Amino acid sequence: MASLVTCPHCGARPKEEFTVKGAVLDRPTPDAPQETWFDYVYLRANPRGAYEEYWHHTSGCRRWLVVTRDTATHEIFDSRDAANRTKVTA
Ligand SMILES: [Zn+2]
């Protein structure tokens, strides 16, 4: 994994300042079937390649970020504030 992660607010920072919190998934609507909610809560794809994850800049600005990372090489392609999230990968 890259030793420096670029935070859109703080610039390049050591990866130890961040906490990875999990995959960026589209939340089902409140009235979605139980099976849809089960899949959302318990099932995850394990894709190879670019994948979006929520990262928290815990020891920095404490903002939530969406980081696009290669699951095979750990190369980071993009990081942006989660408030400005637009889905890039499936
Ligand atoms: Zn930051």
Side-chain angles (χ1 to χ4, degrees):
M1 182 174 289
S3 59
L4 293 177
V5 177
T6 301
C7 171
H9 305 288
C10 307
R13 306 297 304 170
K15 69 177 189 305
E16 291 79 10
E17 291 187 0
F18 296 84
T19 305
V20 181
K21 292 295 186 175
V24 174
L25 303 172
D26 289 324
R27 187 180 177 91
T29 60
D31 59 346
Q34 184 175 3
E35 296 79 22
T36 302
W37 275 101
F38 181 88
D39 290 353
Y40 172 75
V41 173
Y42 295 109
L43 300 180
R44 295 289 180 269
N46 191 17
R48 181 181 179 91
Y51 199 60
E52 287 185 326
E53 298 168 317
Y54 284 115
W55 287 38
H56 187 246
H57 197 177
T58 310
S59 298
C61 61
R62 304 191 59 80
R63 294 286 300 178
W64 285 96
L65 309 176
V66 173
V67 174
T68 305
R69 179 180 65 86
D70 189 305
T71 57
T73 65
H74 304 294
E75 179 183 357
I76 293 176
F77 301 115
D78 183 50
S79 63
R80 59 196 183 282
D81 193 285
N84 303 326
R85 177 184 171 238
T86 55
K87 193 159 181 68
V88 174
T89 59

